[in-house]
């Protein structure tokens, strides 16, 4: 339900962080949508780097439209 609040239109972009190791293993990992990109992050510094990379990539490859 929370993920649905993050992305509401085809123009929205965002990051959903599931900060519980259970989500990286079956059976929980099998319940997540297949089109979600999953990364296992080891610590706060790695999370900051992954988030920065995500936004830099999106901003470089997409034109942000405002309604």
């Amino acid at each position: 339900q929370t993920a649905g609040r993050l992305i509401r239109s085809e123009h929205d972009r965002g990051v959903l962080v599931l900060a519980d190791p259970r989500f990286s293993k079956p059976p929980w990992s099998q319940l997540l949508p297949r089109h979600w990109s999953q990364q296992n992050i080891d610590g706060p510094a790695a999370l900051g780097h992954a988030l920065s990379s995500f936004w830099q990539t999106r901003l470089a490859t997409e034109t942000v439209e405002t309604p």
Side-chain angles (χ1 to χ4, degrees):
Q1 188 176 14
T2 301
R5 298 196 189 288
L6 178 66
I7 306 295
R8 293 181 179 247
S9 79
E10 62 188 49
H11 301 290
D12 293 342
R13 299 293 177 260
V15 176
L16 177 68
V17 176
L18 302 173
D20 187 323
R22 291 179 293 177
F23 290 112
S24 66
K25 300 176 184 145
W28 303 108
S29 62
Q30 297 168 335
L31 299 173
L32 302 175
R34 291 181 185 209
H35 66 275
W36 283 11
S37 172
Q38 297 181 33
Q39 295 182 15
N40 292 325
I41 305 294
D42 187 25
L47 175 59
H49 178 73
L51 290 172
S52 293
S53 295
F54 173 85
W55 289 114
Q56 287 175 1
T57 301
R58 296 312 179 279
L59 292 174
T61 59
E62 297 180 3
T63 302
V64 178
E65 296 180 22
T66 54

